[in-house]
Amino acid sequence: MCQRKKMTKNSLEIVVFAIIFVQTFTHCENRIITGSSPLDNLIIRPLFHSFRNMTFRLVGQTGLRNTGRYLQQPLEEFPCDTTFGRSEKPPTSVHKLRPGDIDIIAAMGDSLTAATGATSTSFMDLFMENRGLAWCIGGQWDWHNSTTLPNILRAFNPKLFGYSIGDSYPFHRASQFNVAEIGAVSADLPYMARTLIRRIKSDRRVNFKKHWKMLTISMGGNDICSFVCTWDDPESLPGKHRVSLLRTLRYIRDNMPRTFVNIVSVPSVDKVVGLRPKPEQCRLMHHIECSCWEGRLYNQTDELRQRLRNIQQEFIRAEAEVAQYDEFKGLQEFAVVYQPFSRNLSIKTKDEKTDYSLLAFDCFHMSQKAHAWAGTSLWNNIMEPIVEKADSWESPSVKFKCPTKEFPYIYTHDN
């Protein structure tokens, strides 16, 4: 009887995952080709949301777990002096923007920004999006035990808002200004920008023209992992990403005043999926989550993986170059900066062993501990000069940058 119950539960998990996976990724693949999918239909969309809500209830919220090796070590004291972290009057120039001047925080991305499975200890937990713990947009708890970017900024401005406040899907209120979608790809960025601006404008707390906003964009894992190997011309992906990102930034610049944008590359797929050895559940999940690298449909070879590595490097290069385009410099109410901490991050310890406490149950997404490291490292990049930014991550207990009395501003290309 016990064995039968176990098999039934496992079967249910597999069925639920298969349905969500097929619907999500069919949605994405159609969207790449046509710009829309059947799930965008006004009749089908509520049904899809109902299905996802059913999954949400089935899995149950996991983000409030407070024990486990996947959690960061708490900080005892805030490392920075906050007395000069906010201007006496809101600045009129983005180049005089201090951390405490940020009123609104927002994010666009994929499952990494949705914090999928950040506190996962089982297969089913991977269906929960722990958005309140997300590195660049989560505001659950505080800087003591969750050093996300919003929790750090709240030490300088307690009135900051827009951050996700708990487990949620993107259409839930708790998600707030986090419009990240699991399965999202680069081609979705312009649509996400329009969705985000509509959401911000419709919020009664927002003074759209006065409030300073910080937006983080991080996209590309699904492009590299699940789609580029199906294209006739995979090497065209970096160029298409450049166009998509450029359209997105121009739209934000022209339609959302007083905005500072961070661009952050997704970590190297190879460093995560290429782990050897790895737990059995991770091996199985990587076949599904990153089929271009690990699946058996595309006749993977060392040559193909090297080709994909090169494509991702060009993808990252495009992001860094777009952020330096002259059309985004010299503006008073808009700035974009490429933050490079993710370019060379490692999940290995000094003795070259994999630190699995930085990974979710599937060894693909980040744990809450890793979200804390990423949030702190993004903060450090923001407070570092353009030519001196770190290209890897650190624990918040090891490295934590602070504004200084001599230069309390967020760095841009023009200050």
Side-chain angles (χ1 to χ4, degrees):
M1 180 65 69
C2 291
Q3 182 68 20
R4 182 178 299 174
K5 288 183 178 179
K6 182 177 180 180
M7 290 177 64
T8 301
K9 182 179 179 181
N10 289 343
S11 299
L12 176 62
E13 291 177 351
I14 292 171
V15 169
V16 171
F17 180 80
I19 292 173
I20 293 179
F21 179 81
V22 170
Q23 288 189 326
T24 299
F25 284 90
T26 299
H27 180 34
C28 290
E29 190 161 1
N30 288 339
R31 196 163 59 237
I32 293 171
I33 298 170
T34 67
S36 63
S37 86
L39 295 183
D40 292 310
N41 183 282
L42 293 178
I43 297 175
I44 296 178
R45 185 186 301 167
L47 296 177
F48 182 65
H49 285 181
S50 296
F51 175 79
R52 295 210 71 196
N53 281 327
M54 181 185 70
T55 306
F56 192 89
R57 293 190 296 270
L58 177 66
V59 176
Q61 298 188 51
T62 61
L64 293 177
R65 292 171 178 169
N66 55 17
T67 59
R69 68 188 183 94
Y70 48 80
L71 298 177
Q72 76 172 111
Q73 289 294 112
L75 296 180
E76 297 299 326
E77 296 183 359
F78 191 70
C80 300
D81 182 353
T82 62
T83 55
F84 44 84
R86 181 175 172 85
S87 304
E88 292 185 8
K89 295 181 179 180
T92 57
S93 171
V94 69
H95 312 299
K96 296 295 182 181
L97 193 62
R98 304 187 187 199
D101 297 328
I102 303 296
D103 302 296
I104 296 171
I105 191 136
M108 297 161 48
D110 52 29
S111 57
L112 291 181
T113 304
T116 293
T119 60
S120 57
T121 59
S122 69
F123 174 80
M124 286 296 284
D125 289 346
L126 297 172
F127 297 113
M128 186 51 61
E129 297 171 20
N130 306 128
R131 291 175 181 250
L133 304 174
W135 57 289
C136 64
I137 188 62
Q140 185 176 309
W141 300 334
D142 57 29
W143 59 263
H144 289 280
N145 44 23
S146 182
T147 51
T148 61
L149 180 61
N151 283 344
I152 294 171
L153 290 174
R154 284 163 63 195
F156 297 91
N157 179 13
K159 295 183 179 180
L160 179 80
F161 64 96
Y163 49 81
S164 299
I165 56 178
D167 294 351
S168 56
Y169 290 158
F171 53 89
H172 290 155
R173 185 177 296 274
S175 185
Q176 300 217 82
F177 299 154
N178 180 359
V179 296
E181 288 271 8
I182 60 170
V185 293
S186 171
D188 293 316
L189 285 173
Y191 173 80
M192 281 186 172
R194 294 192 296 272
T195 299
L196 176 64
I197 291 176
R198 284 198 303 267
R199 188 176 294 189
I200 292 176
K201 277 186 171 181
S202 65
D203 194 301
R204 294 182 179 181
R205 298 169 295 176
V206 174
N207 185 324
F208 194 67
K209 293 183 178 180
K210 180 180 178 181
H211 281 152
W212 281 101
K213 310 156 193 76
M214 178 170 282
L215 167 64
T216 300
I217 301 174
S218 183
M219 186 72 80
N222 296 308
D223 296 87
I224 300 296
C225 262
S226 302
F227 294 106
V228 69
C229 60
T230 69
W231 292 8
D232 293 333
D233 181 18
E235 277 74 18
S236 67
L237 174 63
K240 291 178 179 178
H241 180 54
R242 185 187 297 268
V243 172
S244 180
L245 186 57
L246 189 57
R247 285 178 56 200
T248 301
L249 292 173
R250 285 172 175 166
Y251 183 81
I252 295 168
R253 177 198 61 193
D254 297 341
N255 292 277
M256 190 160 71
R258 295 198 169 187
T259 300
F260 181 98
V261 180
N262 301 303
I263 297 178
V264 180
S265 299
V266 297
S268 169
V269 170
D270 190 37
K271 289 183 179 179
V272 177
V273 179
L275 291 173
R276 298 290 188 275
K278 54 187 171 185
E280 181 64 15
Q281 82 271 10
C282 300
R283 186 184 68 81
L284 293 174
M285 291 301 298
H286 289 177
H287 277 266
I288 299 171
E289 294 172 317
C290 202
S291 55
C292 286
W293 292 70
E294 294 290 303
R296 297 176 180 176
L297 294 176
Y298 305 109
N299 190 30
Q300 283 84 353
T301 62
D302 289 341
E303 289 76 16
L304 173 60
R305 292 190 181 95
Q306 184 57 53
R307 187 180 180 187
L308 295 177
R309 290 186 194 98
N310 295 339
I311 291 171
Q312 184 170 22
Q313 287 305 309
E314 289 303 311
F315 191 98
I316 292 171
R317 187 193 307 274
E319 294 177 320
E321 290 176 355
V322 167
Q324 297 187 60
Y325 281 8
D326 287 342
E327 66 181 280
F328 301 127
K329 295 178 181 178
L331 307 174
Q332 292 304 303
E333 293 198 350
F334 181 85
V336 55
V337 176
Y338 178 76
Q339 311 293 4
F341 79 88
S342 63
R343 294 190 69 161
N344 291 304
L345 62 80
S346 173
I347 55 175
K348 292 185 179 293
T349 58
K350 292 182 179 180
D351 58 2
E352 288 300 307
K353 292 183 178 179
T354 301
D355 184 356
Y356 284 100
S357 68
L358 291 168
L359 298 173
F361 181 76
D362 59 356
C363 306
F364 186 76
H365 294 95
M366 296 191 293
S367 68
Q368 187 275 326
K369 176 180 176 180
H371 279 278
W373 283 34
T376 305
S377 299
L378 174 56
W379 160 258
N380 288 338
N381 270 179
I382 289 170
M383 300 312 301
E384 292 168 333
I386 300 297
V387 296
E388 298 177 17
K389 294 182 183 293
D391 63 357
S392 187
W393 65 356
E394 294 278 2
S395 162
S397 63
V398 173
K399 181 181 178 182
F400 202 106
K401 291 283 186 175
C402 298
T404 64
K405 187 175 182 179
E406 293 73 27
F407 194 88
Y409 309 118
I410 294 170
Y411 280 94
T412 71
H413 288 282
D414 295 288
N415 65 9

